[in-house]
Amino acid sequence: MDLIHRPRRLRRSETLRKMVRETRVSKSSLIYPMFVVEGQNVQEEIPSMAGQYRWSIDRLPEQAEALLKLGVDKVMLFGIPGHKDACGSEAYAEHGVVQEAMRALKARFPELYLIGDVCMCEYTSHGHCGILDGDYVDNDRTLEYLAKIAVSQVQAGADMVAPSDMMDGRVAAIRDALDDAGYVNTPILSYAVKYASSFYGPFRDAADSAPAFGDRKQYQMDYHNSREAVKEALTDVDEGADLLMVKPAMAYGDIIARVKEVTDVPVAAYSVSGEYCMVKTCGRLGYVDETAMLCEIAASAFRAGADIYLSYFAPELARAMDEGRIG
């Protein structure tokens, strides 16, 4: 057969396939989420997220050291406080669990890049992401608290803050507060496009952050919408966001692509707890090759346009890169 175009020519060997690969994945793009609890000598496995743990501050260094050896040098910290109240006061306390964790990690591992999740749901007694007015989360009252959280984290050693609350105007409020406190060079990674998703279930178990009533659909986005994602992304860029997040990742490749197309800032995708749980469960039951699947899911996010990837599989992805299974 007289064929001029034979696409298979470029698939004949592993070396050739890697040379012409369109999507590149590197360890420098990975962020690993970690959960911190109060107490001593705590390494508590999360029931719904096999292989993930809640760590006390004294046990964090061993995990940080293991990550650094794999080449994963960025972590996002989530705190589970011993005390919760209506205004989530432990979220911005000088000696809160995340703040103390940041001080401990930064003192021992200055090369570890620390990102603080700025939200209130883990810290409030009602489990919502802001200050309540009856059953309604009061947007504008919440902004003051989010700004306090961000400043307290940066004072404790955070290199970047990542507001995940989905309040309108939070990026501008945090930017103003950081600048006023002298932290003009601290970047904001905004969870600009965060959907109200069933994929978050295991995280709420991990962070003890399930809402005591109702749900979060009054402030997180409706998963039917994509044009709204563009509006949210552009609004946050206008308010001063340095990077944008799309959450979740796996079922939202179209959204990652749209946000990438309409903005000129780096785009992150969060491979959330539900994705992790599905892959782990299928792998444990022997239904899939777990490593092959997690690599394929990660590559899909980068193929859609993500520059940064938050994943509970970050250590496994780093190992897979070393083995040449993704990269």
Side-chain angles (χ1 to χ4, degrees):
M1 184 174 290
D2 186 16
L3 292 177
I4 296 175
H5 300 291
R6 291 183 180 268
R8 286 183 57 189
R9 290 190 190 111
L10 299 182
R11 305 175 195 149
R12 279 184 56 83
S13 71
E14 181 71 6
T15 299
L16 187 54
R17 288 191 295 271
K18 286 184 176 179
M19 183 173 70
V20 300
R21 185 166 286 169
E22 298 174 18
T23 301
R24 305 285 180 177
V25 182
S26 72
K27 295 179 182 180
S28 62
S29 64
L30 298 177
I31 301 173
Y32 183 58
M34 296 179 67
F35 300 95
V36 190
V37 296
E38 296 182 359
Q40 294 288 320
N41 196 33
V42 177
Q43 182 186 346
E44 178 185 13
E45 188 169 32
I46 299 165
S48 58
M49 297 178 67
Q52 300 300 311
Y53 299 87
R54 302 182 189 97
W55 301 85
S56 56
I57 293 171
D58 60 312
R59 297 290 301 274
L60 280 178
E62 62 189 81
Q63 177 70 349
E65 190 168 11
L67 289 169
L68 288 169
K69 285 181 179 178
L70 287 169
V72 179
D73 61 358
K74 290 169 284 294
V75 299
M76 181 177 287
L77 295 182
F78 298 88
I80 300 96
H83 167 75
K84 302 189 179 195
D85 55 32
C87 62
S89 60
E90 285 297 304
Y92 50 87
E94 181 180 357
H95 298 291
V97 63
V98 160
Q99 287 79 359
E100 289 299 302
M102 288 176 171
R103 291 187 183 97
L105 287 172
K106 188 59 73 174
R108 182 155 176 188
F109 305 102
E111 71 274 31
L112 189 65
Y113 196 86
L114 302 179
I115 305 169
D117 176 76
V118 177
C119 196
M120 301 180 71
C121 60
E122 303 108 297
Y123 301 90
T124 54
S125 52
H126 46 76
H128 279 283
C129 299
I131 304 300
L132 292 183
D133 180 4
D135 290 345
Y136 175 72
V137 176
D138 189 319
N139 189 96
D140 294 5
R141 284 181 62 203
T142 298
L143 300 183
E144 172 190 351
Y145 291 85
L146 296 171
K148 290 166 63 175
I149 295 168
V151 171
S152 74
Q153 290 180 352
V154 177
Q155 289 173 336
D159 298 291
M160 177 185 290
V161 291
S164 61
D165 54 283
M166 287 301 288
M167 299 297 115
D168 295 337
R170 78 285 179 56
V171 172
I174 290 170
R175 184 74 272 158
D176 286 346
L178 291 174
D179 290 355
D180 288 346
Y183 299 113
V184 296
N185 291 319
T186 299
I188 298 174
L189 165 58
S190 172
Y191 288 66
V193 184
K194 182 178 179 180
Y195 285 88
S197 173
S198 59
F199 283 87
Y200 303 154
F203 176 92
R204 291 169 183 167
D205 174 35
D208 188 25
S209 63
F213 62 89
D215 53 40
R216 297 185 176 128
K217 293 180 180 179
Q218 63 173 263
Y219 42 99
Q220 294 179 0
M221 287 177 54
D222 182 346
Y223 63 75
H224 296 84
N225 297 350
S226 61
R227 287 185 299 168
E228 185 182 17
V230 172
K231 179 174 68 175
E232 289 279 8
L234 293 176
T235 297
D236 282 10
V237 170
D238 287 344
E239 290 184 12
D242 302 284
L243 312 90
L244 301 176
M245 178 98 78
V246 175
K247 180 182 179 182
M250 186 173 71
Y252 293 82
D254 61 319
I255 304 302
I256 297 169
R258 290 200 69 173
V259 171
K260 180 74 170 183
E261 181 180 359
V262 301
T263 64
D264 57 3
V265 300
V267 176
Y270 196 149
S271 179
V272 297
S273 58
E275 299 174 38
Y276 176 88
C277 185
M278 288 191 297
V279 174
K280 274 292 181 184
T281 301
C282 289
R284 185 177 69 250
L285 293 173
Y287 295 158
V288 299
D289 179 330
E290 181 180 308
T291 301
M293 179 171 279
L294 68 91
C295 288
E296 188 172 344
I297 291 171
S300 74
F302 286 97
R303 190 178 65 240
D307 305 291
I308 301 160
Y309 194 59
L310 285 85
S311 176
Y312 302 98
F313 280 122
E316 288 90 339
L317 284 166
R319 293 188 191 97
M321 291 177 197
D322 290 338
E323 295 167 0
R325 298 188 67 170
I326 186 174

